[in-house]
Amino acid sequence: MFRSPSYRGPPTVLVVALCLLVSSASRAQDCAETLLVSGFTSNNVHVFDDCAGDFRGTLADTSGIGGAQAIGAGRRVVYVASEKSGQILQFDRASLAPIGVLVNMRDLGISSPTALALGPDGDLYVGGFSSPVIVRVDPQTGAEVRRYNLGDHISGVEAGATFNADGRLLIPGFDSGNVLALSVGSGQVVEWVGANRVGLEGPRVLVRDDARQRILVSSWGSNQVIAFNFNGTFIRTLIFQRRPSGLALDLEGNILVASEDSSRVVRYSPAGVELGEVTGANAGGLAGATFLALVGPEGSADDLSQPDQLWLVGVATLNAGALVADMLVTDGASFGADFDPTAVQRIPWGRVNVELLACNRAVYRWESDNPAYGSGEFELVRVAPNRAEGHCEREGVSIDAAGGAWFGGPQRDGEGLLIDVLNDAQALITIYSYRPAAATFVR
């Protein structure tokens, strides 16, 4: 696809790594990651050893990935935006085997999806080059969760959108030459970097570098990689490279840059000093490289974009000697300065029942509205003796005895309840647990 009246080449190179990233050949034997590179013209995602740069194959078979663009690596699934087919595709993170189509974005009003970012909430945020909108997508069902209208603030939504440290989604506009910041809670859109400022021309991909408190932007039109503070102020130009597109950071903080023209990937130090070529020009048939992503093994500790923890809240009433509560999951808001209380969503989860068996023993039963959670029960014990237990031993089992922290013992590590007795008939219950693999996200 053409991005402007002057040819800028095919749009996306994808790099995902499943290997311990290293900047020298001496680290090759320790490498535990794989590098995926999207080729827009070669219509596939090309798989490399990031340490030695050896070609391993492609994500898809000969049917390919039409106009491979952005990649988002979740805890168990790798998502790929296929611009030409209009689809978001899924691959198993551990084996890289195809899973299938998550959603055809044309059904959601985006004909040519380019951008794909995993939000702190675990949802996918998808944008298209010819569509001035961002659609928030449920990663389990592909259903639309929310739509954000970018209006006339941007033209040519590019592949490399990313979330800033303040929780806002940063979106590059290739034709408009700017970067927008979208508050996903309130929907407010502001210009993060103005059009064609400080040499920014045809921005393609943004990468967040938390260790150095900066955002790196590949500026395709000016042949530069530029560093900005989190607030959008210019730091300096780090790298000069012909038609830079994809960017990624390895585990040492080195910068990988893909050139769309030569379809090769080069590694630079955090200060912008060239360290060497990762993949040669057109290696493995790669053509039109655009997007890079480095990803650890399945479910690695450094990948928190799809958290496994689950928190439930509810007010219980006393019913036949047990505390019974309808539980909610909260969602929609963002951490930190971007927190918007009006954006909080309260999603019904199901009902729980806590029955006291003794002063330090109880049974926890649940029945969820989501079939992935289903129903069940297990026994609880107190985390530690407290005044409620002492009162119970003197006065007998009552609602007052429920107050405190409970958990399922070593066999239910990390699961438990906090109960705050409000009065003779009510208690506030907070449950901490995990999301099942079949329902990583509650919707």
Side-chain angles (χ1 to χ4, degrees), residues 13 15 37 199 201-202 204-205 217-226 237-248 255-269 272-281 286 289-292:
V13 175
V15 176
V37 183
E201 185 179 339
R204 299 290 299 278
V205 172
V217 184
S218 59
S219 177
W220 185 91
S222 60
N223 302 308
Q224 301 173 356
V225 175
I226 305 172
T237 297
L238 276 178
I239 296 165
F240 290 91
Q241 188 189 88
R242 174 72 179 168
R243 298 307 191 213
S245 51
L247 297 177
I255 307 164
L256 274 65
V257 183
S259 167
E260 187 180 57
D261 276 7
S262 64
S263 289
R264 70 178 190 136
V265 180
V266 178
R267 197 186 317 269
Y268 296 84
S269 75
V273 177
E274 183 172 339
L275 300 177
E277 194 175 69
V278 180
T279 67
L286 175 66
T290 50
F291 189 92
L292 303 177

Short mmCIF file of all heavy atoms in Angstrom, two decimals, residues 13 15 37 199 201-202 204-205 217-226 237-248 255-269 272-281 286 289-292:
data_model
loop_
_atom_site.label_atom_id
_atom_site.label_comp_id
_atom_site.label_asym_id
_atom_site.label_seq_id
_atom_site.Cartn_x
_atom_site.Cartn_y
_atom_site.Cartn_z
N VAL A 13 7.27 -4.19 9.53
CA VAL A 13 8.15 -5.28 9.86
C VAL A 13 7.89 -5.67 11.28
O VAL A 13 7.77 -4.86 12.13
CB VAL A 13 9.59 -4.86 9.78
CG1 VAL A 13 10.48 -5.99 10.24
CG2 VAL A 13 9.91 -4.51 8.37
N VAL A 15 9.05 -7.83 14.56
CA VAL A 15 10.07 -8.64 15.18
C VAL A 15 9.60 -9.04 16.54
O VAL A 15 9.22 -8.23 17.31
CB VAL A 15 11.35 -7.87 15.33
CG1 VAL A 15 12.38 -8.68 16.05
CG2 VAL A 15 11.85 -7.51 13.97
N VAL A 37 9.90 -10.89 12.54
CA VAL A 37 9.94 -9.66 11.75
C VAL A 37 8.81 -9.68 10.74
O VAL A 37 8.71 -10.58 9.92
CB VAL A 37 11.29 -9.52 11.01
CG1 VAL A 37 11.34 -8.21 10.25
CG2 VAL A 37 12.45 -9.64 11.97
N GLY A 199 12.11 17.54 13.42
CA GLY A 199 12.55 16.54 12.45
C GLY A 199 11.63 15.35 12.32
O GLY A 199 11.92 14.43 11.54
N GLU A 201 8.98 13.24 10.84
CA GLU A 201 8.36 13.23 9.53
C GLU A 201 7.99 11.79 9.17
O GLU A 201 8.85 10.93 9.07
CB GLU A 201 9.35 13.80 8.49
CG GLU A 201 8.76 13.93 7.10
CD GLU A 201 9.77 14.52 6.13
OE1 GLU A 201 10.72 15.17 6.58
OE2 GLU A 201 9.59 14.32 4.91
N GLY A 202 6.73 11.54 9.01
CA GLY A 202 6.29 10.18 8.72
C GLY A 202 6.59 9.22 9.86
O GLY A 202 7.23 8.19 9.66
N ARG A 204 6.48 6.18 12.32
CA ARG A 204 6.01 4.82 12.06
C ARG A 204 5.74 4.02 13.34
O ARG A 204 4.69 3.45 13.51
CB ARG A 204 7.05 4.06 11.21
CG ARG A 204 7.33 4.67 9.85
CD ARG A 204 6.16 4.52 8.92
NE ARG A 204 5.84 3.12 8.68
CZ ARG A 204 6.47 2.34 7.81
NH1 ARG A 204 7.47 2.83 7.08
NH2 ARG A 204 6.10 1.08 7.64
N VAL A 205 6.76 3.92 14.21
CA VAL A 205 6.66 3.04 15.37
C VAL A 205 7.18 3.77 16.61
O VAL A 205 8.18 4.49 16.54
CB VAL A 205 7.46 1.74 15.15
CG1 VAL A 205 7.53 0.91 16.43
CG2 VAL A 205 6.81 0.91 14.03
N VAL A 217 10.94 7.04 18.71
CA VAL A 217 10.05 7.14 17.55
C VAL A 217 10.86 6.99 16.28
O VAL A 217 11.85 7.69 16.09
CB VAL A 217 9.29 8.48 17.53
CG1 VAL A 217 8.31 8.51 16.37
CG2 VAL A 217 8.57 8.73 18.85
N SER A 218 10.45 6.06 15.41
CA SER A 218 11.11 5.96 14.10
C SER A 218 10.46 6.97 13.16
O SER A 218 9.25 6.95 12.94
CB SER A 218 11.00 4.54 13.54
OG SER A 218 9.65 4.15 13.38
N SER A 219 11.28 7.86 12.63
CA SER A 219 10.82 8.92 11.73
C SER A 219 11.23 8.53 10.31
O SER A 219 12.36 8.78 9.88
CB SER A 219 11.45 10.25 12.13
OG SER A 219 11.07 11.29 11.25
N TRP A 220 10.31 7.88 9.60
CA TRP A 220 10.60 7.31 8.28
C TRP A 220 11.02 8.39 7.27
O TRP A 220 11.96 8.21 6.52
CB TRP A 220 9.35 6.57 7.81
CG TRP A 220 9.48 5.82 6.52
CD1 TRP A 220 9.84 4.53 6.35
CD2 TRP A 220 9.20 6.33 5.21
NE1 TRP A 220 9.82 4.19 5.02
CE2 TRP A 220 9.42 5.29 4.30
CE3 TRP A 220 8.78 7.57 4.73
CZ2 TRP A 220 9.25 5.44 2.92
CZ3 TRP A 220 8.60 7.73 3.35
CH2 TRP A 220 8.84 6.67 2.47
N GLY A 221 10.31 9.52 7.30
CA GLY A 221 10.56 10.55 6.30
C GLY A 221 11.88 11.26 6.46
O GLY A 221 12.48 11.71 5.48
N SER A 222 12.38 11.39 7.72
CA SER A 222 13.64 12.10 7.94
C SER A 222 14.80 11.15 8.22
O SER A 222 15.89 11.59 8.56
CB SER A 222 13.49 13.08 9.12
OG SER A 222 13.13 12.39 10.31
N ASN A 223 14.57 9.83 8.10
CA ASN A 223 15.63 8.82 8.27
C ASN A 223 16.27 8.90 9.65
O ASN A 223 17.50 8.80 9.79
CB ASN A 223 16.69 8.98 7.19
CG ASN A 223 16.12 8.86 5.78
OD1 ASN A 223 15.42 7.89 5.48
ND2 ASN A 223 16.39 9.84 4.94
N GLN A 224 15.45 9.03 10.70
CA GLN A 224 15.97 9.20 12.06
C GLN A 224 15.18 8.34 13.05
O GLN A 224 14.02 8.00 12.81
CB GLN A 224 15.87 10.66 12.51
CG GLN A 224 16.60 11.66 11.65
CD GLN A 224 16.29 13.09 12.06
OE1 GLN A 224 15.47 13.34 12.95
NE2 GLN A 224 16.95 14.05 11.43
N VAL A 225 15.83 8.04 14.17
CA VAL A 225 15.13 7.56 15.36
C VAL A 225 15.32 8.63 16.42
O VAL A 225 16.45 8.99 16.77
CB VAL A 225 15.69 6.21 15.85
CG1 VAL A 225 15.02 5.80 17.15
CG2 VAL A 225 15.48 5.13 14.78
N ILE A 226 14.20 9.17 16.92
CA ILE A 226 14.22 10.34 17.80
C ILE A 226 13.73 9.94 19.18
O ILE A 226 12.79 9.16 19.32
CB ILE A 226 13.32 11.46 17.23
CG1 ILE A 226 13.76 11.80 15.79
CG2 ILE A 226 13.40 12.71 18.10
CD1 ILE A 226 12.81 12.77 15.08
N THR A 237 18.05 13.39 18.68
CA THR A 237 18.06 12.36 17.65
C THR A 237 19.14 11.35 17.99
O THR A 237 20.30 11.71 18.19
CB THR A 237 18.31 12.97 16.27
OG1 THR A 237 17.22 13.85 15.95
CG2 THR A 237 18.40 11.89 15.21
N LEU A 238 18.75 10.08 18.08
CA LEU A 238 19.68 9.03 18.50
C LEU A 238 20.37 8.35 17.34
O LEU A 238 21.56 8.05 17.39
CB LEU A 238 18.93 7.95 19.29
CG LEU A 238 18.68 8.17 20.78
CD1 LEU A 238 17.88 7.00 21.32
CD2 LEU A 238 20.01 8.28 21.53
N ILE A 239 19.61 8.06 16.28
CA ILE A 239 20.10 7.19 15.21
C ILE A 239 19.70 7.78 13.86
O ILE A 239 18.60 8.30 13.70
CB ILE A 239 19.49 5.77 15.36
CG1 ILE A 239 19.97 5.11 16.65
CG2 ILE A 239 19.83 4.89 14.16
CD1 ILE A 239 19.17 3.89 17.05
N PHE A 240 20.62 7.69 12.91
CA PHE A 240 20.32 8.02 11.52
C PHE A 240 20.38 6.71 10.73
O PHE A 240 21.40 6.02 10.72
CB PHE A 240 21.33 9.03 10.96
CG PHE A 240 21.18 10.40 11.55
CD1 PHE A 240 21.91 10.76 12.67
CD2 PHE A 240 20.30 11.33 11.00
CE1 PHE A 240 21.77 12.02 13.24
CE2 PHE A 240 20.16 12.59 11.56
CZ PHE A 240 20.89 12.94 12.68
N GLN A 241 19.25 6.35 10.09
CA GLN A 241 19.21 5.14 9.28
C GLN A 241 18.22 5.34 8.15
O GLN A 241 17.18 5.98 8.34
CB GLN A 241 18.81 3.92 10.12
CG GLN A 241 18.93 2.60 9.34
CD GLN A 241 18.33 1.43 10.09
OE1 GLN A 241 17.14 1.15 9.97
NE2 GLN A 241 19.14 0.75 10.86
N ARG A 242 18.52 4.78 7.01
CA ARG A 242 17.65 4.92 5.84
C ARG A 242 16.30 4.26 6.10
O ARG A 242 16.23 3.07 6.41
CB ARG A 242 18.34 4.28 4.63
CG ARG A 242 17.50 4.22 3.37
CD ARG A 242 17.31 5.56 2.72
NE ARG A 242 16.52 5.47 1.51
CZ ARG A 242 16.01 6.52 0.87
NH1 ARG A 242 16.21 7.74 1.33
NH2 ARG A 242 15.30 6.35 -0.23
N ARG A 243 15.22 5.04 6.00
CA ARG A 243 13.85 4.58 6.13
C ARG A 243 13.61 3.65 7.31
O ARG A 243 13.21 2.49 7.16
CB ARG A 243 13.42 3.88 4.83
CG ARG A 243 13.44 4.77 3.59
CD ARG A 243 12.62 6.02 3.81
NE ARG A 243 12.41 6.76 2.56
CZ ARG A 243 12.31 8.08 2.46
NH1 ARG A 243 12.44 8.82 3.56
NH2 ARG A 243 12.09 8.64 1.31
N PRO A 244 13.84 4.13 8.53
CA PRO A 244 13.59 3.29 9.70
C PRO A 244 12.10 3.05 9.89
O PRO A 244 11.28 3.94 9.69
CB PRO A 244 14.16 4.11 10.85
CG PRO A 244 14.00 5.53 10.40
CD PRO A 244 14.23 5.51 8.91
N SER A 245 11.76 1.84 10.28
CA SER A 245 10.35 1.51 10.50
C SER A 245 10.20 0.86 11.87
O SER A 245 9.91 1.52 12.86
CB SER A 245 9.83 0.62 9.38
OG SER A 245 10.69 -0.50 9.19
N GLY A 246 10.40 -0.46 11.96
CA GLY A 246 10.21 -1.16 13.22
C GLY A 246 11.28 -0.85 14.25
O GLY A 246 12.45 -0.67 13.91
N LEU A 247 10.86 -0.79 15.52
CA LEU A 247 11.77 -0.58 16.65
C LEU A 247 11.46 -1.59 17.74
O LEU A 247 10.31 -1.99 17.92
CB LEU A 247 11.60 0.82 17.26
CG LEU A 247 11.90 2.05 16.41
CD1 LEU A 247 11.59 3.31 17.22
CD2 LEU A 247 13.36 2.05 15.98
N ALA A 248 12.48 -1.99 18.48
CA ALA A 248 12.28 -2.85 19.65
C ALA A 248 13.49 -2.69 20.56
O ALA A 248 14.57 -2.28 20.12
CB ALA A 248 12.10 -4.31 19.24
N ILE A 255 18.82 -1.05 21.14
CA ILE A 255 17.73 -0.68 20.24
C ILE A 255 17.87 -1.45 18.94
O ILE A 255 18.92 -1.39 18.29
CB ILE A 255 17.75 0.83 19.96
CG1 ILE A 255 17.78 1.62 21.27
CG2 ILE A 255 16.55 1.23 19.10
CD1 ILE A 255 18.19 3.08 21.09
N LEU A 256 16.84 -2.19 18.55
CA LEU A 256 16.80 -2.84 17.26
C LEU A 256 15.99 -1.97 16.31
O LEU A 256 14.89 -1.52 16.65
CB LEU A 256 16.17 -4.23 17.36
CG LEU A 256 17.11 -5.39 17.72
CD1 LEU A 256 17.67 -5.21 19.13
CD2 LEU A 256 16.39 -6.72 17.60
N VAL A 257 16.54 -1.73 15.13
CA VAL A 257 15.90 -0.88 14.13
C VAL A 257 15.79 -1.64 12.83
O VAL A 257 16.78 -2.21 12.34
CB VAL A 257 16.68 0.43 13.91
CG1 VAL A 257 15.94 1.34 12.92
CG2 VAL A 257 16.92 1.16 15.22
N ALA A 258 14.60 -1.68 12.26
CA ALA A 258 14.39 -2.29 10.96
C ALA A 258 14.34 -1.21 9.89
O ALA A 258 13.70 -0.18 10.07
CB ALA A 258 13.08 -3.07 10.94
N SER A 259 15.04 -1.47 8.78
CA SER A 259 14.98 -0.57 7.64
C SER A 259 14.00 -1.14 6.63
O SER A 259 14.13 -2.28 6.21
CB SER A 259 16.37 -0.44 6.99
OG SER A 259 16.26 0.19 5.73
N GLU A 260 13.02 -0.35 6.26
CA GLU A 260 12.04 -0.84 5.30
C GLU A 260 12.65 -1.01 3.92
O GLU A 260 12.31 -1.95 3.20
CB GLU A 260 10.86 0.13 5.23
CG GLU A 260 9.72 -0.39 4.39
CD GLU A 260 8.58 0.58 4.32
OE1 GLU A 260 8.80 1.74 3.90
OE2 GLU A 260 7.47 0.20 4.70
N ASP A 261 13.57 -0.12 3.55
CA ASP A 261 14.17 -0.19 2.22
C ASP A 261 14.98 -1.46 2.03
O ASP A 261 14.85 -2.16 1.04
CB ASP A 261 15.06 1.03 1.98
CG ASP A 261 14.25 2.23 1.49
OD1 ASP A 261 13.01 2.13 1.48
OD2 ASP A 261 14.86 3.25 1.13
N SER A 262 15.89 -1.75 2.99
CA SER A 262 16.79 -2.89 2.84
C SER A 262 16.25 -4.15 3.49
O SER A 262 16.80 -5.24 3.29
CB SER A 262 18.16 -2.56 3.44
OG SER A 262 18.05 -2.34 4.84
N SER A 263 15.20 -4.03 4.29
CA SER A 263 14.63 -5.16 5.03
C SER A 263 15.71 -5.89 5.82
O SER A 263 15.85 -7.12 5.77
CB SER A 263 13.90 -6.13 4.08
OG SER A 263 12.71 -5.55 3.61
N ARG A 264 16.47 -5.13 6.58
CA ARG A 264 17.44 -5.71 7.51
C ARG A 264 17.22 -5.08 8.87
O ARG A 264 16.60 -4.03 9.00
CB ARG A 264 18.87 -5.49 7.03
CG ARG A 264 19.35 -4.05 7.10
CD ARG A 264 20.81 -3.90 6.66
NE ARG A 264 21.31 -2.56 6.97
CZ ARG A 264 22.49 -2.29 7.50
NH1 ARG A 264 23.31 -3.29 7.80
NH2 ARG A 264 22.86 -1.06 7.73
N VAL A 265 17.76 -5.74 9.90
CA VAL A 265 17.62 -5.27 11.27
C VAL A 265 19.01 -5.03 11.84
O VAL A 265 19.89 -5.90 11.74
CB VAL A 265 16.86 -6.29 12.13
CG1 VAL A 265 16.72 -5.77 13.57
CG2 VAL A 265 15.48 -6.58 11.54
N VAL A 266 19.20 -3.85 12.44
CA VAL A 266 20.50 -3.47 13.00
C VAL A 266 20.31 -3.16 14.49
O VAL A 266 19.29 -2.60 14.90
CB VAL A 266 21.07 -2.23 12.28
CG1 VAL A 266 22.40 -1.80 12.89
CG2 VAL A 266 21.24 -2.53 10.79
N ARG A 267 21.29 -3.56 15.30
CA ARG A 267 21.25 -3.30 16.74
C ARG A 267 22.14 -2.10 17.07
O ARG A 267 23.26 -1.97 16.57
CB ARG A 267 21.74 -4.53 17.51
CG ARG A 267 21.36 -4.49 19.00
CD ARG A 267 21.97 -5.66 19.78
NE ARG A 267 21.89 -6.93 19.12
CZ ARG A 267 20.91 -7.80 19.25
NH1 ARG A 267 19.88 -7.52 20.03
NH2 ARG A 267 20.93 -8.96 18.61
N TYR A 268 21.63 -1.22 17.96
CA TYR A 268 22.35 -0.04 18.43
C TYR A 268 22.37 -0.04 19.95
O TYR A 268 21.48 -0.59 20.60
CB TYR A 268 21.67 1.25 17.94
CG TYR A 268 21.66 1.43 16.44
CD1 TYR A 268 20.66 0.84 15.67
CD2 TYR A 268 22.63 2.18 15.80
CE1 TYR A 268 20.64 1.00 14.30
CE2 TYR A 268 22.61 2.35 14.42
CZ TYR A 268 21.61 1.75 13.67
OH TYR A 268 21.59 1.91 12.31
N SER A 269 23.36 0.61 20.52
CA SER A 269 23.41 0.77 21.97
C SER A 269 22.34 1.76 22.40
O SER A 269 21.78 2.48 21.57
CB SER A 269 24.79 1.28 22.40
OG SER A 269 24.91 2.66 22.08
N GLY A 272 22.78 5.00 20.94
CA GLY A 272 22.68 5.14 19.49
C GLY A 272 23.91 4.71 18.72
O GLY A 272 24.00 4.97 17.52
N VAL A 273 24.85 4.04 19.37
CA VAL A 273 26.06 3.56 18.69
C VAL A 273 25.76 2.22 18.02
O VAL A 273 25.23 1.30 18.67
CB VAL A 273 27.23 3.40 19.68
CG1 VAL A 273 28.45 2.83 18.98
CG2 VAL A 273 27.54 4.74 20.34
N GLU A 274 26.09 2.07 16.75
CA GLU A 274 25.80 0.83 16.04
C GLU A 274 26.63 -0.32 16.59
O GLU A 274 27.85 -0.21 16.73
CB GLU A 274 26.06 1.00 14.55
CG GLU A 274 25.68 -0.25 13.75
CD GLU A 274 25.76 -0.04 12.24
OE1 GLU A 274 25.70 1.13 11.79
OE2 GLU A 274 25.86 -1.05 11.51
N LEU A 275 25.97 -1.43 16.90
CA LEU A 275 26.64 -2.61 17.46
C LEU A 275 26.76 -3.73 16.45
O LEU A 275 27.54 -4.67 16.67
CB LEU A 275 25.86 -3.12 18.69
CG LEU A 275 25.72 -2.14 19.85
CD1 LEU A 275 24.86 -2.74 20.95
CD2 LEU A 275 27.08 -1.72 20.38
N GLY A 276 26.02 -3.68 15.38
CA GLY A 276 26.13 -4.72 14.37
C GLY A 276 24.79 -5.11 13.79
O GLY A 276 23.72 -4.79 14.31
N GLU A 277 24.86 -5.83 12.71
CA GLU A 277 23.67 -6.29 12.00
C GLU A 277 23.09 -7.52 12.68
O GLU A 277 23.82 -8.43 13.06
CB GLU A 277 24.07 -6.61 10.57
CG GLU A 277 22.94 -6.78 9.61
CD GLU A 277 23.45 -6.99 8.19
OE1 GLU A 277 24.05 -8.06 7.93
OE2 GLU A 277 23.26 -6.08 7.35
N VAL A 278 21.77 -7.54 12.86
CA VAL A 278 21.10 -8.71 13.41
C VAL A 278 20.69 -9.64 12.29
O VAL A 278 20.95 -10.84 12.33
CB VAL A 278 19.87 -8.30 14.24
CG1 VAL A 278 19.17 -9.54 14.82
CG2 VAL A 278 20.26 -7.35 15.36
N THR A 279 20.02 -9.11 11.29
CA THR A 279 19.67 -9.88 10.10
C THR A 279 20.13 -9.12 8.87
O THR A 279 20.01 -7.88 8.82
CB THR A 279 18.16 -10.14 10.00
OG1 THR A 279 17.48 -8.90 9.78
CG2 THR A 279 17.64 -10.78 11.29
N GLY A 280 20.63 -9.83 7.87
CA GLY A 280 21.05 -9.19 6.63
C GLY A 280 19.88 -8.77 5.78
O GLY A 280 18.71 -9.10 6.06
N ALA A 281 20.16 -8.03 4.73
CA ALA A 281 19.11 -7.53 3.85
C ALA A 281 18.34 -8.70 3.24
O ALA A 281 18.92 -9.66 2.73
CB ALA A 281 19.73 -6.68 2.74
N LEU A 286 12.53 -11.91 3.59
CA LEU A 286 11.86 -10.75 4.16
C LEU A 286 11.87 -9.58 3.18
O LEU A 286 12.89 -9.24 2.60
CB LEU A 286 12.58 -10.34 5.46
CG LEU A 286 12.09 -9.07 6.15
CD1 LEU A 286 10.68 -9.25 6.67
CD2 LEU A 286 13.05 -8.69 7.28
N ALA A 289 10.13 -4.72 5.51
CA ALA A 289 10.14 -4.86 6.97
C ALA A 289 9.62 -3.57 7.61
O ALA A 289 9.99 -2.49 7.22
CB ALA A 289 11.54 -5.15 7.45
N THR A 290 8.77 -3.74 8.62
CA THR A 290 8.18 -2.53 9.21
C THR A 290 8.10 -2.54 10.73
O THR A 290 8.23 -1.50 11.34
CB THR A 290 6.77 -2.30 8.65
OG1 THR A 290 6.05 -3.50 8.77
CG2 THR A 290 6.82 -1.88 7.21
N PHE A 291 7.78 -3.66 11.37
CA PHE A 291 7.50 -3.64 12.80
C PHE A 291 8.35 -4.67 13.53
O PHE A 291 8.47 -5.80 13.06
CB PHE A 291 6.01 -3.95 13.03
CG PHE A 291 5.54 -3.75 14.44
CD1 PHE A 291 5.00 -2.54 14.84
CD2 PHE A 291 5.64 -4.77 15.37
CE1 PHE A 291 4.55 -2.35 16.15
CE2 PHE A 291 5.20 -4.60 16.67
CZ PHE A 291 4.65 -3.38 17.05
N LEU A 292 8.92 -4.31 14.66
CA LEU A 292 9.74 -5.21 15.47
C LEU A 292 9.14 -5.35 16.87
O LEU A 292 8.66 -4.39 17.44
CB LEU A 292 11.16 -4.68 15.61
CG LEU A 292 11.93 -4.42 14.33
CD1 LEU A 292 13.29 -3.82 14.65
CD2 LEU A 292 12.07 -5.68 13.53
#
